[in-house]
Amino acid sequence: MHRTLLIATSLAALVGCSAPSPANEVAVSNVAEPPAVAAPQVAAPTAPPAATTPGELKTFGDWTVGCDNLRNCQAVALAPEDGVGDWPAFLLSIERDAGAEGAIRVTLSGQSEATAPVRIAIDGKPVAEGGPSFAGPQALAIATAIAGGRSAVVRAGGETAINSLTGASAALRYIDAQQGRADTAGALVAKGAAPDRSVAPVAPVIRAIAPAGTAATLTPAVEAELRKTAECGIADFVDDVPRAETHALGGGTTLVLLPCDRGAYNAIAALFVIGADGKPVPAKLDADTGMSPEAQPVPTVVNPDFAHGVLSTYAKGRGLGDCGTTQSFVWDGERLRMTEMAAMSECRGSMDYITIWRAEVAR
């Protein structure tokens, strides 16, 4: 039996973190440099602005497909739904960029790393050899054969994998529609006589602040108050609660990653920011982090990491990591802005998450 992950609304159940509720304000005093915060002050919760709209994932048979906000699309093969036998060593993936000249790429993911030469046959007929990835006319030939086939056999590095093509044609037809190619000569499946005049959208640009300065520090007492504010449950089942991480965001602002809850393979952190006045307040984000469909007074992220001015998250749908969500954020001086989001909704062996949002960053 396979598992389907509802990207936006079910991660809370997967990680076991309850949605926090508003907390009373607590007085705070100003701090010295480097700031050592004495107590939290929590602002009234506000819903994140609807500035980002990630694409959605759809599953057709044994293929999942999705597109980002720039209409770059990807279709990925899945392991058998019944889970009988070993999963394929390799799973096919077809990517197509937006625009009339949008490039096509065919790559492999799965349980093994493909090494050249890669041989692909569709319904017993050889269609490609080389790789380990394919582009240009060779990728187009593979995609065309997949759209009209029933089964693909992939051989590489002494291993053989069989991929079901059930749903592949529908997934590629979905890409044609999302990219505005339906009924044009540029379509993969929904071909027509009209010329392909599709145009790729321009990526949004985020003006980010370069990380600089010294991060504030939190006292254990302040961390305890913040955990109450965020209604964290980690102290109920962990004897030694991890200390919060603090990171300088630039402009005298500090990001706080406060350990809040924990599941079998997901660690949840509540997000606060500390301004020059030394007062921690819930961080603002321009995108849902997947923990709750409703606005939260203190946003939370899963398995966070902060490096080089980028906050990265990775919410696993299960321990294997073949489903879940990844996100990246940068600080623009007011809120954390999402620069990329990728997801896989089907827990069926694919480690190839599909990008459903991206933005350019200028510092």
Side-chain angles (χ1 to χ4, degrees):
M1 179 179 295
H2 80 287
R3 297 175 61 192
T4 299
L5 177 66
L6 301 179
I7 297 301
T9 61
S10 67
L11 284 178
L14 292 169
V15 298
C17 181
S18 59
S21 61
N24 296 328
E25 292 188 356
V26 180
V28 65
S29 59
N30 290 333
V31 295
E33 181 67 26
V37 181
Q41 180 176 357
V42 178
T46 58
T52 59
T53 305
E56 62 178 327
L57 300 182
K58 290 186 175 291
T59 297
F60 300 95
D62 296 324
W63 285 68
T64 290
V65 62
C67 303
D68 63 21
N69 52 308
L70 307 183
R71 294 202 288 272
N72 300 312
C73 300
Q74 182 177 6
V76 178
L78 305 171
E81 186 172 9
D82 56 16
V84 175
D86 295 333
W87 279 353
F90 313 114
L91 290 169
L92 288 160
S93 173
I94 302 171
E95 300 175 54
R96 189 168 197 189
D97 295 340
E101 303 300 323
I104 303 175
R105 294 173 295 279
V106 175
T107 59
L108 299 173
S109 65
Q111 306 303 304
S112 300
E113 182 176 353
T115 57
V118 174
R119 297 178 176 86
I120 301 175
I122 307 296
D123 295 340
K125 179 181 178 180
V127 295
E129 180 175 346
S133 60
F134 302 87
Q138 199 171 27
L140 177 59
I142 297 171
T144 301
I146 285 175
R150 300 179 60 186
S151 178
V153 176
V154 181
R155 293 183 172 87
E159 296 188 84
T160 299
I162 299 175
N163 287 194
S164 167
L165 302 184
T166 300
S169 179
L172 296 178
R173 186 180 293 274
Y174 177 82
I175 290 177
D176 288 340
Q178 294 299 301
Q179 295 184 333
R181 302 182 201 273
D183 300 321
T184 75
L188 292 172
V189 176
K191 287 187 174 295
D196 183 353
R197 295 192 176 96
S198 58
V199 178
V202 177
V205 177
I206 298 172
R207 302 288 177 181
I209 304 296
T214 302
T217 58
L218 295 170
T219 66
V222 169
E223 292 185 24
E225 289 295 331
L226 292 178
R227 284 195 294 272
K228 291 179 182 178
T229 298
E231 291 194 346
C232 298
I234 191 168
D236 296 336
F237 52 87
V238 174
D239 294 332
D240 187 13
V241 177
R243 294 296 305 274
E245 292 183 23
T246 59
H247 301 277
L249 291 174
T253 303
T254 294
L255 174 67
V256 179
L257 303 178
L258 180 74
C260 191
D261 277 295
R262 181 175 293 173
Y265 35 80
N266 286 316
I268 300 91
L271 296 181
F272 293 86
V273 291
I274 304 171
D277 60 0
K279 299 176 181 179
V281 296
K284 295 179 181 179
L285 298 89
D286 70 343
D288 183 4
T289 54
M291 292 305 304
S292 171
E294 300 177 355
Q296 302 174 52
V298 181
T300 53
V301 291
V302 186
N303 297 324
D305 180 68
F306 187 87
H308 309 295
V310 178
L311 172 64
S312 302
T313 73
Y314 176 25
K316 292 184 178 182
R318 62 178 179 180
L320 182 63
D322 61 340
C323 51
T325 304
T326 65
Q327 292 172 290
S328 297
F329 296 87
V330 295
W331 178 248
D332 72 352
E334 295 184 359
R335 60 176 55 89
L336 291 162
R337 303 281 304 278
M338 188 166 73
T339 62
E340 187 168 346
M341 179 175 180
M344 174 49 66
S345 55
E346 298 288 337
C347 304
R348 293 173 57 186
S350 177
M351 305 297 179
D352 199 354
Y353 286 24
I354 297 173
T355 299
I356 53 178
W357 174 267
R358 70 182 78 216
E360 294 182 0
V361 177
R363 294 190 187 274

